[in-house]
Amino acid sequence: MIGDAKTPEEAGRERRLRELTDDGEIISKVEYARRSRRAFLAFGVLGVAGYAGFNRLQNQDEDEGIPRLLRAGLEWNEKVWERVQRDGATARTFSITDREEIRVNGRHGLEDNDRDLIGIGNSEAANWEITLTGRNGAQLEPIPLASLKSDFEVHDMVWEHKCVEGWANIVHWTGVRFSDVLERYAPDEASAEWMVLRTPASADVRREYSSAIENYTMMHHQTLLAWQLNGEPLTAGHGDPIRIVTPFKYGIKQLKRIASIEFTDDRPTDYWTERGYDLHAGF
Ligand SMILES: Nc1nc2c(c(=O)[nH]1)N[C@H]1C(S)=C(S)[C@@H](COP(=O)(O)O)O[C@H]1N2
Ligand SMILES: [Mo]
């Protein structure tokens, strides 16, 4: 592996993590940068070839109504996109040794009316549950935090967290797959087109936060309900006791301190959509 000097202990831990994540290849930060550069160059070449070919499209004989040269181009394009989609289907994961510190960013739903962070005490955490509202508006059986931590397979994942403000960090999350949890607690809602996550609704909270995420991302195997960041329990600023993390969305969708989830087939809004951001906020 490139540039990684690992102690036997680190190597052992990484092997264990790799067994847990079963989400494909884990690469180092250096290798990631190299591949991104290569992908970028490939797109550049595609653009130039397209331009050069443009003038030659005239007077071509046709193949099923499509000029031959264009057709070859389309097939090549399709291959490129197939690769992009396949790559996109499972987000890049990194070696645990590449994990970085991450700042506290975004305190909506975590502050009191004096703008002080609200800490979640041990007893509150012990009784924490995520309430669920079904598509028909009914309250479903809530998900106790204690059940999340003890009834499901725990996954460690290391990926790049991206903020729309333009910074990114490689971070290590520990938690359970949202899809595993839903299968047990609300299987009938697993086909809901949208899921809207919210921070606690309370007069003590200065401003509630919400995040609407489409079915594909919520049910993806790399979407976790996480209670640890870089191997430590979440702090108040990072969204204790539980947050959603997914490598397919910008930070604005990665709601910290989940208190409730609502399922719906109607196009929802959320905190940032109401302020002009794109509802998907994905990449
Ligand atoms: N409850 C809540 N969750 C939130 C936010 C927020 O303001 N409130 N900000 C989001 C944004 S914009 C980012 S970049 C990440 C930052 O996570 P971090 O503070 O752990 O770095 O949290 C996201 N989740
Ligand atoms: Mo962000």
Side-chain angles (χ1 to χ4, degrees):
M1 209 180 225
I2 311 160
D4 275 344
K6 292 197 189 80
T7 64
E9 196 180 288
E10 279 170 345
R13 179 170 161 74
E14 189 176 324
R15 217 171 20 252
R16 281 197 305 283
L17 285 173
R18 204 173 294 212
E19 280 160 16
L20 276 177
T21 53
D22 67 83
D23 60 351
E25 194 186 11
I26 295 177
I27 60 176
S28 75
K29 197 175 169 180
V30 178
E31 174 64 7
Y32 179 67
R34 200 177 64 81
R35 290 191 199 178
S36 304
R37 238 179 354 256
R38 203 175 53 198
F40 178 76
L41 286 175
F43 276 105
V45 168
L46 194 67
V48 171
Y51 181 76
F54 181 76
N55 293 325
R56 293 170 56 201
L57 276 177
Q58 275 84 219
N59 308 322
Q60 285 274 313
D61 30 328
E62 303 200 348
D63 206 351
E64 289 172 31
I66 304 170
R68 199 161 290 149
L69 185 66
L70 180 59
R71 193 184 169 79
L74 286 176
E75 276 161 15
W76 186 35
N77 243 325
E78 204 169 277
K79 287 214 175 63
V80 171
W81 282 112
E82 263 172 23
R83 238 201 84 194
V84 169
Q85 280 179 5
R86 197 179 55 232
D87 282 356
T90 296
R92 289 270 176 250
T93 48
F94 294 83
S95 156
I96 194 169
T97 51
D98 287 325
R99 73 186 188 188
E100 300 169 318
E101 292 291 313
I102 184 172
R103 75 197 75 178
V104 167
N105 203 65
R107 295 162 49 124
H108 302 310
L110 311 177
E111 294 178 327
D112 64 19
N113 292 307
D114 297 326
R115 307 207 61 169
D116 290 327
L117 273 176
I118 302 168
I120 302 297
N122 288 340
S123 63
E124 201 180 341
N127 296 315
W128 195 270
E129 41 184 43
I130 300 175
T131 62
L132 303 179
T133 307
R135 278 177 284 189
N136 62 3
Q139 285 305 118
L140 308 173
E141 182 192 345
I143 309 167
L145 181 65
S147 164
L148 284 183
K149 291 185 175 181
S150 59
D151 298 341
F152 300 92
E153 188 184 345
V154 175
H155 296 268
D156 281 277
M157 294 209 194
V158 184
W159 63 59
E160 191 175 43
H161 172 97
K162 292 186 184 143
C163 175
V164 288
E165 291 162 10
W167 53 269
N169 287 114
I170 293 171
V171 280
H172 166 203
W173 302 105
T174 305
V176 290
R177 285 193 176 133
F178 179 77
S179 56
D180 287 351
V181 176
L182 199 59
E183 192 186 318
R184 156 122 179 227
Y185 276 91
D188 294 347
E189 305 297 337
S191 58
E193 284 180 33
W194 292 91
M195 307 193 187
V196 187
L197 298 95
R198 296 192 174 88
T199 53
S202 153
D204 299 336
V205 178
R206 183 173 160 265
R207 188 179 279 174
E208 283 170 39
Y209 194 67
S210 56
S211 162
I213 302 180
E214 77 286 336
N215 184 283
Y216 171 80
T217 299
M218 286 301 286
M219 300 305 285
H220 194 279
H221 65 278
Q222 290 177 305
T223 298
L224 305 182
L225 291 166
W227 60 83
Q228 276 188 22
L229 163 58
N230 287 346
E232 300 288 337
L234 293 174
T235 58
H238 286 301
D240 74 335
I242 192 82
R243 66 186 285 177
I244 192 91
V245 294
T246 171
F248 300 108
K249 295 289 178 188
Y250 279 106
I252 52 173
K253 291 291 183 183
Q254 319 239 2
L255 186 125
K256 301 185 276 193
R257 190 169 293 166
I258 307 167
S260 69
I261 302 175
E262 184 185 338
F263 302 95
T264 179
D265 289 332
D266 301 327
R267 192 181 167 85
T269 61
D270 62 14
Y271 186 92
W272 284 112
T273 308
E274 284 159 12
R275 287 160 180 80
Y277 276 81
D278 152 41
L279 180 59
H280 285 271
F283 39 79

